[in-house]
Amino acid sequence: MTTASADGGWLARNRMTITPILFLLPGLLFFSVYVVFPIFQSFYISTFEWNGLGELEEQGRYVGLQNYHELFYYDRNFEISLWNNVRWLVLYLLAIPAGLFIALFLNQTIVGIRVYKSLFFFPFVISQVVVGLVFGWFYLPNDGLFDVLVGWFGIDIKGGVIGNPNTATYGIIVAGLWPQTAYCMILYLTGLNAVDPEQIEAGRLDGAKGWRMLWHVILPQLRPATFIAFVVTIIGALRSFDLISIMTNGGPFGSTRVLSFYMFEKALSEYGFRMGYGSAIAVVLFLIMLIFIGYFLWQMYQDEKALRR
Amino acid sequence: MLKSIKATVAGAALVAGLGTVASADMSGTLRIMSDMSNPGPRAVMEGLAADFGAMHPDLTIELDIIDREAWKSQIRNALSANPPDVVNWYAANRMGPYVDSGLFMDISDWWAAGDYAGLDSVKGAMTIDGKQWGVPYTYYQWGIYYREDIFKELGLTEPATFDEEIANCQVIIDSGRKCYTIGSRYLWTAGGWFDYMNMRTNGFDHHMALARGELSWTEDAGVRETFANWRKLIDMGAYVEDHQTMNWQDAMPAMINGEATAYLMGNFVVDQLRNGGLTDDQLDFYQFPLIGDYPQGEDAPTDTFHVASGAPNPDAARAFLKFVASADVQTAINGPEGLGQLPVNANSAVADDEFIQQGFAMLSGNAQGGVAQFFDRDFPAEMASAGMEGLQEFMVFPDNLDDILDRLEFTRSRVYQ
């Protein structure tokens, strides 16, 4: 009689442990094969001089940390790419306040507000390639709208915005901000729906309005939206590859490269036959991302802990 | 267009086929991966495959045509896993990485067996380490294409020396035009200018020694001289502005509208300029003028077929390469109905086209210095990429020359080890 309660045996008894493991298994499997393993593989390949053709074991030459040495001490293009990455990371964050203010502006009930919302969201829907092309025309020297506009103020940028090494990266970042702002806007619009009207009412009774209302009452409630907007913007900044490829192809003279683009150029492009060197760049990029990934994970862990309390 | 090629090629194939290849024993599958993706070349490639298939009824031909630009980075994957039998690529050092990694088959034996009669003049471009790694199927000249009508209007004639070139250019600039159009966004067009400036200033042998990494970019006085000559043109405002934002097609309207009078380009530009509305009365060609006292070297890029080293059906590949290189097929595919370029076989007929004829005469009679491929085919890939970037920068900011040369010298010290 006592054994009857253990119906189904071991499997049934440990159901609570086994079920989540089974559900996690496919994800873990793919994650380790397609993400974790390649990360270690990149570390490994980055210690070789290898043209990416044929077998690494046969044709690769072990060089230790020489690739990194060259990267940090001799490669000016790497330095330029790294700084461009920093520019992207910092300036791309402008999408968050911009998105917030558009969202606040659109968060009202008037006739046809859905149309306006869709129009503001539109740049996020079209492909990055199209955004790149459109801004490319916008920036055209002499004939482009931008050049005409600044021409009225007597400003003439030699070579046009994306033909001049001093302005090109900023020009591309502005192009990238257009869809990214729309993305942040939609995140905040959803967030604003969840703002508690009673708290606003209470704040109003206490005499809060304008900036104080925004800063002390609305924004704290939008914290989850801000976090997500921050995450997607950082990720967007680090994968700025397609806009650069479309608008300048890394030029003029390599001044708009970022690490991901430089890695592609060195390892996989038409003239790129340095798999080891490209992997070293990828590793550096990974380490930069790791800072943010670490922060995101820590933040989410803190949030969960707070919830469990 | 396709039909007429097919007809000529089929006729030629019949003769060639009966005479030389025992066609009956060919069976299995021949897989070809081609980069001839533009409409004209595509029809040629499809015609070649169809005709070769007709000669060998038991042989199945699988033809994949990949976008020409995409192929430049896809070829490595195509050759690594499950390789096809025959692929398209380019001659000279551009073959280097694939030869070094053993992905192209050494076909020296086929050359030695006399498969490619009439191809002696192009054999050098297919040779690395004393072995041959492929077979060319077409090439074309580079040179200065110019607006004949504007030259006439200004009373100019084709210059033979650099001094005349500069004198001409000054007249053109004074008339409110630019001398040359160029779109350097994808860098290689700047490479063409350097090729010619250096081959004319220091001679073909110097240029090739530089390509082989034997000369220093910073120490060699000749290199400095080349850039000094080039700078004369840049400083006088000979080039269209903002060329770093344009690709080579974007640069064409300047010439078609008459804002610029000339274009240093490969012969493929003729077709595009004609499509743009220029007639043969408005358009002409001259060889890049002399600078130093050296026999002229010319750029004549050659496009090629190769056999993958893992090819499952090398016999069929061999027959196909022989077929492509044969005199009659060469005449047909390079004719005005086909590629409109120069045949690689000395026994072929050259198309009756003003520009192809001029190019042929130039390359066969007036290129005693030697025939180069092109900057990005003669220099190793990494040197070419760093080099062309520096050349583009020089064209926009000539003052940065010292800095540019330092970078190129560093790349040289790394690449040729």
Side-chain angles (χ1 to χ4, degrees):
Chain A
M1 277 298 159
T2 42
T3 48
S5 63
D7 231 347
W10 182 84
L11 205 62
R13 263 183 284 120
N14 295 291
R15 208 166 46 192
M16 293 303 281
T17 326
I18 289 173
T19 316
I21 291 178
L22 277 178
F23 274 112
L24 279 175
L25 205 59
L28 283 176
L29 195 71
F30 281 97
F31 190 72
S32 47
V33 170
Y34 291 111
V35 178
V36 179
F37 180 64
I39 288 172
F40 288 102
Q41 213 174 15
S42 294
F43 277 105
Y44 179 66
I45 295 175
S46 73
T47 58
F48 284 83
E49 185 65 51
W50 177 45
N51 67 4
L53 307 165
E55 291 296 315
L56 174 64
E57 276 71 23
E58 288 166 28
Q59 309 211 340
R61 187 166 54 87
Y62 180 76
V63 294
L65 294 178
Q66 205 178 299
N67 282 330
Y68 294 94
H69 187 252
E70 190 187 332
L71 263 187
F72 288 111
Y73 290 97
Y74 297 107
D75 193 341
R76 184 148 24 140
N77 290 334
F78 172 73
E79 206 179 305
I80 294 170
S81 313
L82 195 61
W83 276 112
N84 279 341
N85 260 103
V86 173
R87 289 191 184 99
W88 270 92
L89 283 171
V90 173
L91 294 177
Y92 222 48
L93 290 177
L94 290 175
I96 299 176
L100 172 66
F101 284 106
I102 296 175
L104 290 169
F105 175 63
L106 289 178
N107 191 40
Q108 43 188 315
T109 40
I110 52 165
V111 181
I113 190 68
R114 284 179 183 224
V115 176
Y116 302 131
K117 282 182 185 172
S118 326
L119 284 177
F120 274 96
F121 189 58
F122 175 70
F124 185 69
V125 179
I126 56 181
S127 144
Q128 294 257 308
V129 177
V130 178
V131 173
L133 279 175
V134 169
F135 268 83
W137 294 326
F138 179 61
Y139 288 143
L140 271 185
N142 305 323
D143 311 322
L145 191 58
F146 184 80
D147 209 61
V148 174
L149 286 178
V150 296
W152 291 343
F153 300 99
I155 301 168
D156 180 40
I157 298 171
K158 187 178 187 273
V161 177
I162 52 175
N164 188 312
N166 299 318
T167 54
T169 292
Y170 300 106
I172 304 175
I173 294 175
V174 170
L177 278 175
W178 190 41
Q180 192 64 29
T181 302
Y183 194 10
C184 292
M185 176 203 79
I186 212 81
L187 290 172
Y188 277 120
L189 274 177
T190 345
L192 283 169
N193 281 336
V195 168
D196 186 357
E198 282 180 18
Q199 286 192 29
I200 295 177
E201 196 61 28
R204 202 161 276 160
L205 289 176
D206 288 343
K209 55 184 175 195
W211 286 103
R212 288 173 63 88
M213 172 73 97
L214 176 68
W215 191 254
H216 293 289
V217 181
I218 314 272
L219 270 189
Q221 295 189 63
L222 286 176
R223 212 175 143 266
T226 309
F227 181 67
I228 297 293
F230 184 64
V231 173
V232 295
T233 305
I234 291 292
I235 293 171
L238 287 170
R239 39 160 244 195
S240 41
F241 187 93
D242 29 13
L243 275 178
I244 294 168
S245 172
I246 290 293
M247 293 177 71
T248 61
N249 199 33
F253 359 111
S255 61
T256 56
R257 287 194 191 103
V258 292
L259 289 179
S260 54
F261 193 84
Y262 191 43
M263 169 189 74
F264 173 80
E265 245 186 24
K266 279 285 168 189
L268 300 162
S269 75
E270 192 179 343
Y271 304 109
F273 290 98
R274 296 187 69 191
M275 214 56 155
Y277 199 64
S279 299
I281 301 169
V283 167
V284 172
L285 185 59
F286 171 71
L287 293 178
I288 294 172
M289 288 181 168
L290 204 59
I291 299 172
F292 292 100
I293 296 171
Y295 166 72
F296 295 150
L297 289 178
W298 179 79
Q299 187 67 43
M300 283 195 271
Y301 176 70
Q302 294 298 320
D303 289 351
E304 292 226 331
K305 228 165 53 173
L307 279 180
R308 248 184 257 138
R309 227 174 256 151
Chain B
M1 183 169 106
L2 184 58
K3 265 196 183 132
S4 63
I5 295 174
K6 270 189 179 165
T8 11
V9 174
L14 211 61
V15 182
L18 287 178
T20 51
V21 185
S23 55
D25 55 7
M26 207 78 70
S27 64
T29 306
L30 174 68
R31 279 179 61 217
I32 304 172
M33 287 181 113
S34 169
D35 70 343
M36 296 161 77
S37 60
N38 295 327
R42 188 184 188 103
V44 168
M45 186 65 231
E46 284 167 354
L48 278 175
D51 295 332
F52 188 69
M55 286 164 60
H56 306 283
D58 295 338
L59 189 69
T60 315
I61 297 182
E62 278 178 22
L63 173 65
D64 286 321
I65 295 181
I66 294 109
D67 175 72
R68 198 170 168 89
E69 290 304 312
W71 179 243
K72 287 173 181 170
S73 48
Q74 275 178 23
I75 180 176
R76 60 188 81 191
N77 299 337
L79 288 175
S80 303
N82 186 21
D85 296 293
V86 174
V87 295
N88 274 133
W89 195 235
Y90 308 100
N93 244 325
R94 214 57 205 279
M95 304 188 295
Y98 307 98
V99 169
D100 293 342
S101 298
L103 296 177
F104 282 166
M105 188 184 276
D106 171 10
I107 61 165
S108 308
D109 294 347
W110 305 353
W111 279 85
D115 274 19
Y116 313 115
L119 264 64
D120 303 325
S121 62
V122 285
K123 191 174 177 181
M126 305 309 303
T127 306
I128 289 182
D129 300 336
K131 296 169 189 156
Q132 285 77 47
W133 303 93
V135 169
Y137 67 91
T138 188
Y139 72 112
Y140 50 89
Q141 82 271 17
W142 269 65
I144 298 185
Y145 295 83
Y146 71 100
R147 285 287 298 269
E148 199 176 3
D149 51 341
I150 298 179
F151 266 51
K152 273 188 189 139
E153 181 195 321
L154 299 174
L156 304 175
T157 50
E158 295 184 359
T161 66
F162 196 54
D163 290 338
E164 290 172 35
E165 176 86 27
I166 287 181
N168 274 359
C169 185
Q170 194 56 54
V171 176
I172 294 166
I173 291 173
D174 291 344
S175 78
R177 300 179 176 94
K178 294 289 183 184
C179 308
Y180 315 106
T181 187
I182 180 173
S184 65
R185 180 174 170 184
Y186 289 99
L187 310 176
W188 54 269
T189 46
W193 270 96
F194 178 79
D195 278 352
Y196 276 100
M197 293 307 297
N198 197 41
M199 280 193 291
R200 291 293 184 270
T201 306
N202 299 307
F204 178 82
D205 297 333
H206 175 282
H207 188 63
M208 281 316 181
L210 189 65
R212 287 190 300 269
E214 290 161 12
L215 299 174
S216 158
W217 286 87
T218 45
E219 308 285 308
D220 186 78
V223 172
R224 296 266 175 190
E225 207 185 323
T226 298
F227 281 104
N229 282 332
W230 195 359
R231 183 158 186 170
K232 288 179 194 163
L233 294 177
I234 296 169
D235 283 348
M236 70 193 290
Y239 295 97
V240 291
E241 277 167 20
D242 306 327
H243 55 76
Q244 73 271 27
T245 60
M246 299 187 286
N247 64 27
W248 74 269
Q249 289 103 331
D250 297 336
M252 274 190 307
M255 181 154 169
I256 294 169
N257 302 336
E259 292 158 19
T261 50
Y263 204 172
L264 176 70
M265 235 328 129
N267 193 61
F268 51 83
V269 77
V270 172
D271 194 37
Q272 307 258 357
L273 290 173
R274 281 177 182 154
N275 288 341
L278 293 182
T279 63
D280 283 11
D281 293 335
Q282 294 174 294
L283 206 56
D284 206 351
F285 170 85
Y286 64 86
Q287 187 171 15
F288 199 94
L290 289 169
I291 300 179
D293 187 19
Y294 295 99
Q296 287 111 312
E298 288 296 326
D299 269 343
T302 306
D303 294 352
T304 54
F305 278 107
H306 302 268
V307 182
S309 55
N313 199 347
D315 290 339
R318 179 177 185 174
F320 181 74
L321 260 48
K322 184 172 183 173
F323 167 73
V324 169
S326 65
D328 296 321
V329 175
Q330 275 296 306
T331 305
I333 65 171
N334 284 297
E337 305 283 282
L339 299 169
Q341 296 182 357
L342 293 164
V344 291
N345 195 315
N347 304 322
S348 300
V350 177
D352 183 23
D353 171 278
E354 184 189 345
F355 296 96
I356 300 178
Q357 287 287 349
Q358 285 192 60
F360 183 72
M362 176 179 86
L363 289 174
S364 51
N366 214 3
Q368 283 93 349
V371 173
Q373 287 298 318
F374 193 72
F375 192 87
D376 68 352
R377 303 187 188 187
D378 292 319
F379 288 71
E382 201 188 342
M383 190 70 231
S385 127
M388 294 189 301
E389 194 169 293
L391 297 174
Q392 185 204 33
E393 182 169 349
F394 173 73
M395 288 190 77
V396 183
F397 297 110
D399 289 338
N400 296 359
L401 180 63
D402 286 327
D403 190 41
I404 294 168
L405 291 181
D406 282 345
R407 264 176 279 157
L408 295 193
E409 182 58 19
F410 174 72
T411 310
R412 182 183 83 98
S413 71
R414 231 201 53 75
V415 171
Y416 307 91
Q417 282 173 356

